[in-house]
Amino acid sequence: MNSIADVQNSNDLRNMPINRVGIKDLQLPVRIQSQDGEQATVAQCTMTVFLPADKKGTHMSRFVALMEENNEAFNYTTLKKITHQMVQRLESDSGDICLTFPFFRRKTAPITGIQSLLNYQVSFSGCLKKGVYQSTLRIIVPVTSLCPCSKEISDYGAHNQRSHVTVTLQCNGEITVEEVIDWVENQASCQLYGLLKRPDEKFVTEKAYDNPKFVEDMVRDIAVILRNDKRIDGFVVESENFESIHNHSAYAMIVSE
Amino acid sequence: MNSIADVQNSNDLRNMPINRVGIKDLQLPVRIQSQDGEQATVAQCTMTVFLPADKKGTHMSRFVALMEENNEAFNYTTLKKITHQMVQRLESDSGDICLTFPFFRRKTAPITGIQSLLNYQVSFSGCLKKGVYQSTLRIIVPVTSLCPCSKEISDYGAHNQRSHVTVTLQCNGEITVEEVIDWVENQASCQLYGLLKRPDEKFVTEKAYDNPKFVEDMVRDIAVILRNDKRIDGFVVESENFESIHNHSAYAMIVSE
Amino acid sequence: MNSIADVQNSNDLRNMPINRVGIKDLQLPVRIQSQDGEQATVAQCTMTVFLPADKKGTHMSRFVALMEENNEAFNYTTLKKITHQMVQRLESDSGDICLTFPFFRRKTAPITGIQSLLNYQVSFSGCLKKGVYQSTLRIIVPVTSLCPCSKEISDYGAHNQRSHVTVTLQCNGEITVEEVIDWVENQASCQLYGLLKRPDEKFVTEKAYDNPKFVEDMVRDIAVILRNDKRIDGFVVESENFESIHNHSAYAMIVSE
Amino acid sequence: MNSIADVQNSNDLRNMPINRVGIKDLQLPVRIQSQDGEQATVAQCTMTVFLPADKKGTHMSRFVALMEENNEAFNYTTLKKITHQMVQRLESDSGDICLTFPFFRRKTAPITGIQSLLNYQVSFSGCLKKGVYQSTLRIIVPVTSLCPCSKEISDYGAHNQRSHVTVTLQCNGEITVEEVIDWVENQASCQLYGLLKRPDEKFVTEKAYDNPKFVEDMVRDIAVILRNDKRIDGFVVESENFESIHNHSAYAMIVSE
């Protein structure tokens, strides 16, 4: 088979390095290290490396092979190791891996104590740039938001809705998914649950009403927490409220300096 | 070019008619006849015909050509005409056209009277089956739903959210998009608006609270209207409430007998 | 808490039964019984029951509770059992459960024998209607399609693309996901792989070229297989080719009589 | 109504400016200035402003009102004007507007000359930051890519597929959508068409085969053009090939220095 032409290894004359080249949206089953042990889930995986100007192409099959060979659960440490392996195997000095997956957490209803799972979308990313490693953790936390203005101006009731709070963290140490979920859920008008009995529904209804938040409040109250955590080098906090009185969203974003 | 082989016109020996063959998700600019005149929008278009067992293939380019030639605004009558043209031009006796597009309606805020557009997703379908024509109109109307249980059991507040009510009508005569929107919006806890000033927001908040509806109520109250309209041969009403206290939807559907 | 009003259990006067009411798009981790043992994946779950005209509402939390309690892997038998449990617990005589999830299969590259996973979207549905149970299996199999016309008329080359073949089966007995995948992949111009080395890529390129198929051929060749399987009460076969020369799809569908 | 509390105008004590706050995914009909005159289409619109640390909230309804009042077709100049108006009306010094919409271009089949429309996804963005205006143009151009490796190693045929080339330009002057489309389509293995007759299909099949391109080649060949245009302050070029032999994409990206 040696005689099959190796087109990707020939030289390139355009003098144009490529910042990222690789594979996108490879779907694969993975295990994630959570606080309660390993969790089996399914990830969309994007893997790329830097390609210098004098190389014509990368070796696409090596990305897939690397993931096929891995049989460890993903956490801060294993993603770092695999990112290094990828960059080495692809003969580059820089590269990125991003895994996006549903993450589940067992929650306890506030009054009856009945338990159920709630799903969150999580992205784990590892980025190696000329030898320096940076980890990024991105979590979309669905919550209830209740509008302070609607509450204030109305004789009764207040519009509320599901919102997506997205926290993106550049970390220099391990931050767990559960920590971030707690930060967000504690700042929302109320958190969500998979399963609520009637007494629980009374509780979450009244809690949201007692705790109105503008989209601006959501991002500020979370950013205040994030800016004080030494493990965080940088962050973005976003909130998108799927307004129950409009057909568009209210949106706010804070980027750390 | 006459000598280019016409592969699609050869015979087929599998004795297997094809119910629908054609093109899917062609995007094209269209004009829609609305109550306030013509409306320019962009449609996803799917066009198929019946292919008898003895024909190897259809002529894909004729579907696109037919749409390219059309320059009339779409309404009940023009869709019927074009469906007939398609079936004839594709040398079949049966076929379907489905156009899905955003439709806009100018609405007036309930207190201040300020105007704004609201968008709805509409599908117009024409189906010709061995000479018999049937039109289908499908509209997704976004509304506010407020939970009666949450209101009843809570000392204050009530969870509410955006919901999608989907009405699908098989019609033997013209029914306008606006009629269907009115039917749905009048039965919701409250309708949505693009633009609300503070006095309007007070109004819609209180109106939803005064008018709680389960997902079951939404579909029943609309079905009661539909079953009495002689232009409607059959219908499906669905409501999906994007629950503000859960990360899943409540859902209900009624199909006419 | 007994004094909290049970709004859903009151009577309803509109004389309008609801065909389906329940929850939609609950995300949950599940295990699926495959030919190679159990497979951990993540499902979108929709669960509904029939609600007679004289009942005001269903009990949404019971659907979630049922899924939370289940700890068996899903296959034909367990889905049937859980569908029966749901209908009983919701005090109805009819109901549907649909689980949609990514399914993975280990494949072997045609020349080098290197192994990798490929993902398929699968829906398992159970439907109980007045005591009669019906199972539905729906699989989207991604394949390569190569256009016979393009090959025939061109001096060299032929346009090809990824296609989605969707097979929906109403079954009176167990049919495995792997059986359906084999039926489809064997009829495609070529099957897909996660990982191919250069000799494999040569093989699949030439195989697709040797095996051109119109969208009409795909659905016919699969339908011929399905109509002869006694376990299948009814089927739909669809193929959507994401044409590499257009920005729309070619599409065909066969519905069993 | 003057006595209704103005909750958004109260002070905020968290000392946390918000980089962006406003509305997201407002759908609205718009007109776009194209080379062939105005084009009616439908946009998703996101509008945000900077909110200083001492302001509690923004005025969401003013964003929608601004778009409702506008009746000019969008081009470089009008977007700049409206971005300035938004920032002024929201009493900020910085803000962003992004409109994303399908754009249509009339194309001529290469041999028969038959005409048809092709759709492209375009985003126009205007960003005003402390008085400095920056325009961003982002276009997703769907093309055919044919794999050089597959061609080289195979005795006949070559896998090809639809690809999305995304060009994002930061501009200091007007660049038309059509210019960008031309740059991309001229570098692809072949361009797409809505409508092709048999002689055209022969042409595009052979053209793609004569013009193989790796995902790396696509982004490099386009970047070479972009780096020489003085109107462009910065760019990102991405290509995603929806591989016809895999179920994942090949991907490459170049960011200008």
Side-chain angles (χ1 to χ4, degrees), chain A residues 146 151 154-160 189 200-212, chain B residues 146-160 205 209:
Chain A
L146 187 138
K151 175 180 173 180
S154 304
D155 293 339
Y156 40 82
H159 79 80
N160 54 79
S189 293
D200 303 311
E201 185 169 352
K202 172 177 161 61
F203 178 88
V204 298
T205 301
E206 295 173 356
K207 181 171 179 198
Y209 193 82
D210 286 335
N211 197 26
Chain B
L146 186 138
C147 178
C149 175
S150 169
K151 175 181 174 180
E152 176 75 19
I153 63 182
S154 304
D155 293 340
Y156 41 81
H159 80 78
N160 54 77
T205 300
Y209 193 82

Side-chain angles (χ1 to χ4, degrees), chain A residues 115-135:
Chain A
Q115 293 206 328
S116 62
L117 293 172
L118 196 73
N119 61 300
Y120 305 84
Q121 188 187 301
V122 176
S123 297
F124 265 178
S125 303
C127 173
L128 192 60
K129 205 165 182 178
K130 302 187 180 180
V132 182
Y133 183 75
Q134 174 84 64
S135 169

Side-chain angles (χ1 to χ4, degrees), chain C residues 3-237:
Chain C
S3 62
I4 288 180
D6 188 346
V7 181
Q8 280 96 338
N9 258 342
S10 54
N11 268 8
D12 195 279
L13 305 170
R14 281 158 295 194
N15 192 27
M16 187 64 83
I18 296 178
N19 300 69
R20 294 187 177 190
V21 57
I23 60 168
K24 189 166 181 288
D25 291 340
L26 175 73
Q27 224 176 112
L28 73 173
V30 294
R31 284 170 299 120
I32 304 296
Q33 195 89 48
S34 79
Q35 284 186 350
D36 304 325
E38 289 183 11
Q39 185 171 126
T41 185
V42 173
Q44 292 274 110
C45 180
T46 295
M47 307 170 79
T48 58
V49 292
F50 173 80
L51 191 75
D54 62 349
K55 278 260 194 87
K56 181 156 178 60
T58 192
H59 296 274
M60 296 290 181
S61 66
R62 294 185 191 174
F63 294 100
V64 182
L66 181 64
M67 277 297 163
E68 285 288 337
E69 290 163 24
N70 175 60
N71 47 33
E72 286 183 274
F74 283 94
N75 65 4
Y76 182 83
T77 308
T78 51
L79 182 59
K80 186 173 178 176
K81 190 178 72 183
I82 294 171
T83 307
H84 276 88
Q85 287 173 349
M86 174 184 73
V87 165
Q88 188 175 28
R89 193 163 329 173
L90 273 298
E91 299 159 19
S92 181
D93 64 352
S94 302
D96 296 82
I97 297 179
C98 181
L99 294 167
T100 298
F101 50 87
F103 180 93
F104 292 89
R105 197 177 186 195
R106 181 151 300 283
K107 304 187 71 169
T108 303
I111 303 299
T112 64
I114 195 166
Q115 294 206 328
S116 62
L117 293 172
L118 197 72
N119 60 300
Y120 305 85
Q121 188 187 302
V122 175
S123 298
F124 265 176
S125 303
C127 173
L128 192 60
K129 205 165 183 176
K130 301 187 180 180
V132 182
Y133 184 76
Q134 175 83 64
S135 168
T136 302
L137 179 60
R138 186 170 189 267
I139 306 180
I140 302 178
V141 182
V143 298
T144 307
S145 63
L146 186 139
C147 178
C149 175
S150 169
K151 175 181 173 179
E152 177 76 18
I153 63 182
S154 303
D155 292 340
Y156 40 81
H159 79 79
N160 53 77
Q161 53 269 319
R162 211 186 291 165
S163 300
H164 280 179
V165 177
T166 304
V167 175
T168 309
L169 304 176
Q170 296 200 301
C171 320
N172 54 56
E174 179 149 26
I175 294 178
T176 66
V177 173
E178 290 89 347
E179 280 179 281
V180 179
I181 292 173
D182 283 342
W183 291 335
V184 172
E185 293 189 341
N186 289 335
Q187 297 306 324
S189 293
C190 193
Q191 56 185 292
L192 306 187
Y193 297 89
L195 184 48
L196 294 171
K197 293 293 193 177
R198 238 176 249 108
D200 303 311
E201 185 169 352
K202 172 178 161 60
F203 178 89
V204 299
T205 301
E206 295 174 356
K207 182 171 179 198
Y209 193 82
D210 286 335
N211 198 25
K213 292 260 181 150
F214 285 119
V215 71
E216 293 94 334
D217 294 321
M218 275 302 300
V219 293
R220 276 175 166 149
D221 291 341
I222 296 165
V224 163
I225 297 169
L226 301 177
R227 70 176 165 190
N228 292 322
D229 194 305
K230 297 249 166 69
R231 296 166 300 173
I232 300 172
D233 292 332
F235 65 82
V236 180
V237 191

Side-chain angles (χ1 to χ4, degrees), chain D residues 77-146:
Chain D
T77 309
T78 51
L79 182 59
K80 185 172 178 177
K81 190 177 72 182
I82 294 172
T83 306
H84 276 89
Q85 287 173 349
M86 175 184 73
V87 165
Q88 187 175 29
R89 187 151 348 162
L90 273 297
E91 300 158 17
S92 182
D93 63 353
S94 302
D96 295 82
I97 297 180
C98 179
L99 294 167
T100 298
F101 50 86
F103 179 92
F104 292 89
R105 196 177 187 195
R106 181 151 301 282
K107 303 187 71 169
T108 302
I111 304 298
T112 65
I114 195 166
Q115 293 205 328
S116 62
L117 293 172
L118 196 72
N119 59 300
Y120 305 84
Q121 188 187 302
V122 176
S123 298
F124 264 176
S125 303
C127 173
L128 192 60
K129 205 165 182 176
K130 302 186 179 181
V132 181
Y133 184 75
Q134 174 83 64
S135 168
T136 302
L137 178 61
R138 185 170 190 268
I139 307 182
I140 302 177
V141 182
V143 298
T144 307
S145 63
L146 187 138

Side-chain angles (χ1 to χ4, degrees), chain A residues 62-133:
Chain A
R62 294 185 191 175
F63 295 100
V64 182
L66 181 65
M67 277 297 162
E68 285 288 336
E69 290 163 25
N70 174 60
N71 47 34
E72 287 184 274
F74 283 94
N75 63 6
Y76 182 82
T77 308
T78 51
L79 182 59
K80 185 173 178 176
K81 190 179 71 184
I82 295 172
T83 306
H84 275 89
Q85 288 173 349
M86 175 184 74
V87 165
Q88 187 175 29
R89 191 154 343 164
L90 272 299
E91 300 158 18
S92 181
D93 64 352
S94 303
D96 295 82
I97 297 180
C98 181
L99 294 167
T100 298
F101 49 87
F103 179 92
F104 292 89
R105 195 177 187 195
R106 181 151 299 284
K107 303 187 71 169
T108 302
I111 303 298
T112 65
I114 195 166
Q115 293 206 328
S116 62
L117 293 172
L118 196 73
N119 61 300
Y120 305 84
Q121 188 187 301
V122 176
S123 297
F124 265 178
S125 303
C127 173
L128 192 60
K129 205 165 182 178
K130 302 187 180 180
V132 182
Y133 183 75

Side-chain angles (χ1 to χ4, degrees), chain A residues 4-5 7-8 12 14-26 46 48 51-58 60 64 148-149 152-153 214-217 219-221 223-224 227 240 247-255, chain D residues 4-5 7-8 12 14-26 46 48 51-58 60 64 148-149 152-153 214-217 219-221 223-224 227 240 247-255:
Chain A
I4 289 182
V7 180
Q8 280 96 338
D12 194 278
R14 281 159 294 196
N15 192 28
M16 186 65 83
I18 296 178
N19 300 68
R20 294 188 177 190
V21 57
I23 60 168
K24 189 166 182 287
D25 291 340
L26 176 73
T46 294
T48 58
L51 191 75
D54 62 350
K55 278 263 192 85
K56 179 156 180 60
T58 191
M60 296 292 181
V64 182
C149 175
E152 176 76 18
I153 63 182
F214 285 119
V215 71
E216 293 93 334
D217 295 321
V219 294
R220 276 175 166 150
D221 291 342
V224 164
R227 70 177 165 188
E240 177 172 7
N247 204 18
H248 59 266
S249 299
Y251 174 79
M253 178 181 71
I254 293 176
V255 184
Chain D
I4 288 182
V7 180
Q8 280 97 338
D12 195 278
R14 281 158 296 195
N15 192 29
M16 185 65 82
I18 296 178
N19 300 68
R20 294 187 178 190
V21 57
I23 61 168
K24 188 165 181 290
D25 291 339
L26 176 74
T46 294
T48 58
L51 190 75
D54 62 348
K55 277 260 194 89
K56 180 158 179 59
T58 192
M60 295 291 180
V64 182
C149 175
E152 176 76 18
I153 64 182
F214 285 118
V215 70
E216 293 93 336
D217 295 321
V219 293
R220 276 176 166 147
D221 291 342
V224 163
R227 69 177 166 190
E240 178 172 5
N247 204 19
H248 58 265
S249 299
Y251 174 80
M253 177 181 73
I254 293 177
V255 184

